[in-house]
Amino acid sequence: MVGGEETATPQQVMLEPGSPLDYPAHAKVITTDGILDVDVFKRLDNESLHLQKNGLHFRTSAGWDPEAVKSSTPVVQHDIMDQELIDEIQKSVREHVGDYNIDSLYHQYWPAGSYITWHRDRRDKAAMSIYLSAHHNDDGGYFMYDDGKGVKAVKPKPNRSVCVSGGIYHCVTTVNQGSLTRRSIQVWLRDPS
């Protein structure tokens, strides 16, 4: 997961996926199906579809670390402005992930040809993606991570989240040609103030 702000670039390092890694004790990846209440999920999904067709004021992955983006098709982002939805996501984070506060969150659109290389997040305490759109096995756009015991993958699935903390190396595989745009919510988390 990578942020959309210029100050939110990951630090690129050489990683040999599958090699032994020494992470801090708090490092983990949490995958949760049904992370959001059904009504909240539907509202976010509808908002995402509406913005995809009619939205203004998008930003792209052009400000991300060039080594992480390489030749990826641009990932497009749009802020979530509805405070009620933000509060509901915050409630779900605390219930399923831990006592974090949301630092920022936004819709992300990953079109065919988009990906991000292996990296670790340094900006925030943790980062979470909540998938909105459905995907078939051959669509790509998988979240992959190396927990120090081998490489694992998480398939995007509606209302599934994946949260990574502690500097665990991860990437997003290429969304394959012919696939629909992968839509998700990106959530950056910090410790409670």
Side-chain angles (χ1 to χ4, degrees), residues 5-72:
E5 301 167 24
E6 289 189 43
T7 59
T9 59
Q11 290 203 356
Q12 193 69 21
V13 297
M14 295 303 290
L15 166 70
E16 183 64 37
S19 63
L21 298 169
D22 187 21
Y23 289 121
H26 68 277
K28 60 187 166 190
V29 174
I30 300 170
T31 302
T32 306
D33 286 335
I35 185 79
L36 300 171
D37 291 336
V38 174
D39 290 340
V40 173
F41 174 79
K42 286 179 183 176
R43 285 179 57 199
L44 281 165
D45 189 38
N46 288 334
E47 180 178 85
S48 172
L49 287 167
H50 175 78
L51 287 170
Q52 187 176 10
K53 292 179 182 177
N54 306 305
L56 302 172
H57 310 293
F58 287 96
R59 61 185 179 278
T60 72
S61 54
W64 297 359
D65 179 353
E67 285 301 310
V69 175
K70 294 203 174 185
S71 62
S72 172

Side-chain angles (χ1 to χ4, degrees), residues 76-133:
V76 179
Q77 303 168 42
H78 194 286
D79 290 328
I80 297 174
M81 305 302 286
D82 184 327
Q83 189 59 50
E84 187 177 313
L85 288 174
I86 294 169
D87 292 344
E88 288 293 332
I89 294 169
Q90 177 68 70
K91 179 176 131 189
S92 292
V93 164
R94 291 221 170 108
E95 181 179 336
H96 297 286
V97 178
D99 195 23
Y100 294 110
N101 285 333
I102 291 176
D103 193 27
S104 65
L105 74 162
Y106 39 83
H107 291 281
Q108 282 191 324
Y109 302 89
W110 296 74
S114 61
Y115 64 92
I116 189 163
T117 61
W118 285 97
H119 67 283
R120 63 164 91 196
D121 297 325
R122 303 238 186 230
R123 175 182 162 212
D124 290 86
K125 187 71 173 179
M128 181 171 67
S129 291
I130 302 170
Y131 303 114
L132 299 175
S133 52

